[in-house]
Amino acid sequence: MADLLRAEQVILLDNLMYMSGDRGPFTLVVNSKGMTVGAYVDQQLHALSQREVPPDQARTFGVLTAIRHDPVLCGMVIADTRVESLEDGRGASAMFINPVTREAVICYRGTGREEWRDNFFGGTVTSSEDGVSTAYQKAALRTYRHYVSQLRPEYTITVSGHSKGGNKAKYITILDDTVDRCISCDGQGFSDEFIAAYKPAIQARKHKITNHNVDDDFVNLLLNDVGVMLFYRNNRGKNNPIQNHCADAFFRFDGQGGYTVSRTRRPFEVKQMDAYLNSLIRSMPQAQRAGTLAMFGDFATLVFGSGQKLRREDLITLFASDVNKDHISYLVSFTIRYGQEHMEFGLSLGSYLARNGLRSVNKTISGIQNVMGSEWLGWIMRHNGLIYRRIGVIWLFIPERVKGKLLIYVKDQVGVELSQKQVITLAKRLLMGMRNVNSIESLPAGEDIDAEALCEYRDAPGRKRRMIDMIN
């Protein structure tokens, strides 16, 4: 396997999967079957040359010129492409082959607009035959087998992808032993139930999987990972989570076809967020977990999958809905309880949000804390039940002038103009969450679980050992 592409070269091919008409004057890879990569890249560079390159496409130019200066990549052929049906999520993929070295590289694009909910469905038990796979993972496996059926036996197969595509690549590697190596870029992991269900396959094939992750990315920390973990410095800056999650964040381009990548360690606050999310998911019964993850999927669809600028009003509507009231309240309860046991978590959360350019979210959280008022916290906790039951009546007796000033204060602190009904609804969510903090007796461990150590898994000292019971 000495002649296989380097990981950076494969990640450059993953970047080509994002070329589309809605991000510039580009032709989709999936519409370029039969072309060499060099011819395809020349076509895209020509399209860019017809107009001034806007700032948001400068890095796309870096990707294209880097490939253009790589004769091995340019000589590869886009042998086949596929876009899944709407029912299967509209995921895009392509098979690139090197006719000289006999390597096939099968790349899966990251999360499409229809796929964000599927990312979170994979965090627990699913409705599939095996009880742990998602519909879009299974569709990716079928597409992989379609591609492989066209290859001669002498071909070496690399499967890769970014984000959701990276998760699909790992899934395929675990379930199909024809894969020779897997290069996942910022792909999320798998549920505890998946790790338990496919323990033998994971043990046998995890050595084929390498996870290439940007240091402060928000997707690669989700769920349990499989394989070697490598981390790289983010070369896109730290202005917002979408930019941090771009597939080109691995590279520092020189504008002349050259590039560098820089290995680093995973930041402490990212480790903390990983552990928090794992512990949160493990702390919930199955039915509650499915509903909470569905809410997270709706949240991610609003933030990343809508194709429109996010409005805070939409988030308020989501979190204030009756469907999500228990999920929001439990999230408040758990987060307070987690912060009590992990004193460093509050600082880590603020630092993590800042790293991802989410200072406005951080401000909203701080604003909620300010609205509650630290000096009022003890009183609220002592009278929580009464306030929760009577908050609607209490609100009726507040003078309109005071209500108006309160709504203005909430808007200044939280950053969203709320109606009186929304204030009451969200206050009830917070109060219910605060009321139920003490019902969470112990916190499950937050570390990723490993298939080999599954039967020997132990929680941190002093905590209830719930992991094995939950999985079995």
Side-chain angles (χ1 to χ4, degrees):
M1 296 172 58
D3 293 329
L4 297 184
L5 296 180
R6 303 187 313 276
E8 309 93 86
Q9 292 174 300
V10 174
I11 297 173
L12 285 172
L13 293 179
D14 285 324
N15 272 268
L16 290 185
M17 300 304 299
Y18 288 98
M19 299 290 171
S20 64
D22 60 356
R23 297 182 63 182
F26 304 119
T27 302
L28 292 168
V29 168
V30 294
N31 294 333
S32 305
K33 180 178 176 180
M35 296 181 69
T36 65
V37 170
Y40 173 79
V41 167
D42 285 342
Q43 184 184 76
Q44 312 319 305
L45 286 171
H46 176 73
L48 275 180
S49 71
Q50 301 304 301
R51 66 182 197 177
E52 184 178 352
V53 179
D56 64 337
Q57 290 178 7
R59 294 188 62 81
T60 301
F61 179 78
V63 170
L64 292 171
T65 54
I67 295 175
R68 178 65 268 177
H69 284 75
D70 188 323
V72 175
L73 289 180
C74 286
M76 297 189 75
V77 177
I78 306 172
D80 199 3
T81 65
R82 191 159 186 165
V83 177
E84 306 295 348
S85 66
L86 180 61
E87 180 181 355
D88 288 331
R90 304 290 293 170
S93 59
M95 179 169 68
F96 304 87
I97 64 170
N98 187 327
V100 178
T101 63
R102 296 292 193 271
E103 179 182 10
V105 180
I106 299 172
C107 295
Y108 289 84
R109 179 176 168 155
T111 311
R113 293 179 183 176
E114 293 82 9
E115 293 186 296
W116 280 104
R117 290 179 180 87
D118 190 76
N119 287 343
F120 292 90
F121 292 159
T124 185
V125 173
T126 69
S127 59
S128 65
E129 295 86 348
D130 63 4
V132 292
S133 298
T134 72
Y136 299 166
Q137 287 172 335
K138 292 166 62 178
L141 179 60
R142 290 193 297 271
T143 294
Y144 169 80
R145 288 172 173 163
H146 165 74
Y147 288 143
V148 172
S149 68
Q150 305 171 51
L151 295 174
R152 295 177 179 176
E154 66 267 22
Y155 269 83
T156 300
I157 302 172
T158 297
V159 63
S160 184
H162 171 255
S163 189
K164 177 75 169 179
N167 174 266
K168 291 176 179 177
K170 289 184 282 190
Y171 176 84
I172 291 163
T173 304
I174 293 167
L175 269 71
D176 195 303
D177 62 4
T178 62
V179 176
D180 292 294
R181 67 166 177 166
C182 171
I183 294 175
S184 172
C185 311
D186 284 330
Q188 72 267 31
F190 302 92
S191 67
D192 294 344
E193 293 84 359
F194 182 94
I195 300 294
Y198 286 104
K199 175 183 173 182
I202 292 171
Q203 287 177 308
R205 298 167 190 158
K206 69 176 184 178
H207 69 280
K208 299 180 179 183
I209 301 172
T210 304
N211 296 274
H212 298 266
N213 299 324
V214 172
D215 55 359
D216 49 14
D217 177 69
F218 67 92
V219 171
N220 67 58
L221 57 78
L222 299 175
L223 305 176
N224 303 291
D225 243 317
V226 175
V228 175
M229 302 284 287
L230 302 177
F231 292 92
Y232 297 79
R233 184 168 289 107
N234 176 11
N235 284 298
R236 258 195 175 258
K238 304 183 185 300
N239 52 345
N240 69 64
I242 298 177
Q243 296 293 320
N244 291 351
H245 186 56
C246 285
D248 59 32
F250 291 88
F251 302 99
R252 180 181 294 276
F253 300 109
D254 63 10
Q256 305 297 319
Y259 61 85
T260 57
V261 295
S262 302
R263 290 273 299 278
T264 187
R265 296 181 179 180
R266 195 178 207 182
F268 175 77
E269 56 266 38
V270 178
K271 292 181 182 179
Q272 291 292 306
M273 289 303 299
D274 187 0
Y276 162 77
L277 291 171
N278 280 339
S279 184
L280 170 65
I281 292 170
R282 292 166 183 161
S283 72
M284 295 181 283
Q286 166 55 32
Q288 182 182 0
R289 195 185 320 163
T292 301
L293 289 171
M295 180 186 72
F296 286 162
D298 291 337
F299 170 79
T301 300
L302 277 176
V303 177
F304 307 111
S306 65
Q308 301 176 354
K309 185 177 180 180
L310 173 67
R311 300 191 313 155
R312 290 187 185 180
E313 293 82 356
D314 294 332
L315 295 181
I316 294 297
T317 300
L318 173 67
F319 294 143
S321 71
D322 289 340
V323 173
N324 293 324
K325 66 178 182 179
D326 292 337
H327 308 317
I328 290 295
S329 297
Y330 183 79
L331 186 60
V332 172
S333 300
F334 180 86
T335 303
I336 294 173
R337 180 72 178 85
Y338 193 87
Q340 291 173 344
E341 187 158 328
H342 301 270
M343 300 302 295
E344 72 282 2
F345 176 69
L347 291 175
S348 294
L349 176 61
S351 177
Y352 177 78
L353 293 172
R355 288 180 73 96
N356 279 278
L358 294 174
R359 287 184 171 84
S360 60
V361 176
N362 208 12
K363 178 184 176 183
T364 300
I365 294 173
S366 299
I368 291 172
Q369 294 172 337
N370 291 337
V371 170
M372 301 302 291
S374 58
E375 69 274 16
W376 291 90
L377 186 58
W379 186 87
I380 289 173
M381 292 297 286
R382 288 193 299 273
H383 299 85
N384 192 299
L386 174 64
I387 296 172
Y388 176 78
R389 291 191 298 271
R390 302 298 183 187
I391 189 169
V393 176
I394 293 171
W395 184 264
L396 290 176
F397 284 93
I398 297 176
E400 291 299 321
R401 180 173 59 85
V402 176
K403 289 179 184 177
K405 289 185 176 181
L406 179 59
L407 290 173
I408 292 173
Y409 179 64
V410 170
K411 179 181 178 182
D412 290 342
Q413 292 295 323
V414 180
V416 181
E417 184 172 355
L418 302 180
S419 67
Q420 294 187 24
K421 181 179 179 181
Q422 287 175 324
V423 169
I424 294 172
T425 299
L426 291 175
K428 292 184 75 171
R429 304 284 190 272
L430 291 170
L431 289 168
M432 183 185 293
M434 295 168 65
R435 183 182 181 184
N436 296 328
V437 170
N438 293 331
S439 67
I440 304 176
E441 297 180 2
S442 63
L443 301 178
E447 296 83 3
D448 283 6
I449 61 173
D450 181 89
E452 290 185 2
L454 187 59
C455 293
E456 301 174 359
Y457 190 91
R458 296 295 183 269
D459 284 354
R463 300 180 191 166
K464 291 186 178 180
R465 296 174 178 177
R466 301 175 55 196
M467 179 66 68
I468 288 298
D469 293 338
M470 181 173 61
I471 292 177
N472 292 337

